[in-house]
């Protein structure tokens, strides 16, 4: 996240005058901010320790009202917030923060293939001024996250086959890894 922040700070954006910092979104569906250890605060502290100013990092959970959420997403679209961290539920349907969105990080897998599509819809949409985007998914081998991503891929494959009318029995093609 920090490396991308450095790479995409103070850049020209086609269609906008001046120089801007492109934005990033981080999806994390575990450990939302609270008093005990959580990944949100750990991530924020690590970014600040490397030199990212705290005022350009935000949690979607801090915006408690629709008006506050609207202001937060507007700040993302204006490039005032550079990194927004939140859950799929908090940054899913109806969220428009895509104007300068360059990088999407998925720290945890969602529960369904539809949620993957919902997440991608935050960055892959008309109005994003970036011709190219970056989507990063993080996992380690033999972890529960790796297993969940694999299950999501299998579910998505089955749904595609079903929707295309290629499922006539109780089995589907195996996906190749």
């Amino acid at each position: 996240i920090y490396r991308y922040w450095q790479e995409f700070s103070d850049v020209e954006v086609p269609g906008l005058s001046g120089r801007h910092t492109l934005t990033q979104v981080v999806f994390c569906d575990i450990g939302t901010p609270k008093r005990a250890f959580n990944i949100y605060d750990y991530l924020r502290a690590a970014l600040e320790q490397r030199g990212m100013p705290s005022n350009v990092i935000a949690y979607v959970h801090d915006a408690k009202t629709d008006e506050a959420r609207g202001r937060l997403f507007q700040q993302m679209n204006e490039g005032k917030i550079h990194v927004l961290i939140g859950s799929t539920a908090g940054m899913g349907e109806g969220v428009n923060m895509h104007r300068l969105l360059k990088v999407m990080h998925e720290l945890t897998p969602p529960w369904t293939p539809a949620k993957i599509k919902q997440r991608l819809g935050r960055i892959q949409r008309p109005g994003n001024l970036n011709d190219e985007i970056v989507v990063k998914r993080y996992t380690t081998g033999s972890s529960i996250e790796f297993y969940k991503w694999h299950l999501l891929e299998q579910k998505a494959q089955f749904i595609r086959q079903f929707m295309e009318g290629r499922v006539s029995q109780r089995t589907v093609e195996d996906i190749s890894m």
Side-chain angles (χ1 to χ4, degrees):
I1 296 168
Y2 183 76
R3 184 176 58 82
Y4 284 121
W5 177 71
Q6 287 183 311
E7 182 178 345
F8 299 121
S9 289
D10 195 36
V11 297
E12 290 184 17
V13 178
L16 294 179
S17 61
R19 300 184 68 78
H20 302 272
T21 297
L22 302 180
T23 62
Q24 302 179 66
V25 65
V26 180
F27 284 98
C28 183
D29 289 347
I30 59 169
T32 56
K34 53 189 170 212
R35 292 185 189 266
F37 172 83
N38 64 81
I39 194 68
Y40 285 66
D41 291 338
Y42 178 83
L43 181 57
R44 173 181 237 149
L47 292 171
E48 290 172 354
Q49 189 174 34
R50 285 175 173 79
M52 187 181 292
S54 61
N55 66 326
V56 300
I57 306 166
Y59 300 154
V60 73
H61 302 85
D62 289 342
K64 305 284 187 205
T65 66
D66 288 342
E67 292 160 353
R69 288 172 54 82
R71 282 191 304 275
L72 177 63
F73 301 140
Q74 183 62 34
Q75 289 177 316
M76 280 286 287
N77 282 327
E78 293 170 356
K80 294 176 182 171
I81 298 295
H82 301 168
V83 176
L84 181 61
I85 306 168
S87 65
T88 305
M91 297 190 299
E93 210 169 306
V95 172
N96 295 313
M97 59 177 168
H98 56 280
R99 188 165 182 244
L100 296 172
L101 194 52
K102 178 70 174 179
V103 186
M104 183 177 88
H105 303 271
E106 295 184 273
L107 297 187
T108 59
W111 290 103
T112 65
K115 296 296 183 190
I116 295 172
K117 189 174 182 180
Q118 187 60 238
R119 286 177 174 187
L120 287 169
R122 299 313 96 220
I123 193 168
Q124 293 177 333
R125 65 187 311 150
N128 188 332
L129 299 175
N130 294 294
D131 292 335
E132 295 181 12
I133 58 167
V134 178
V135 176
K136 301 291 283 183
R137 292 183 175 145
Y138 300 90
T139 187
T140 58
S142 302
S143 68
I144 189 70
E145 286 79 16
F146 180 82
Y147 177 71
K148 281 178 65 179
W149 280 115
H150 182 69
L151 283 178
L152 286 166
E153 188 176 9
Q154 288 178 323
K155 285 180 186 179
Q157 176 75 11
F158 175 78
I159 291 167
R160 273 192 302 277
Q161 289 176 0
F162 181 79
M163 297 303 283
E164 293 169 359
R166 296 189 297 138
V167 178
S168 59
Q169 51 200 7
R170 294 183 66 123
T171 60
V172 293
E173 297 172 21
D174 188 17
I175 53 175
S176 59
M177 293 291 285

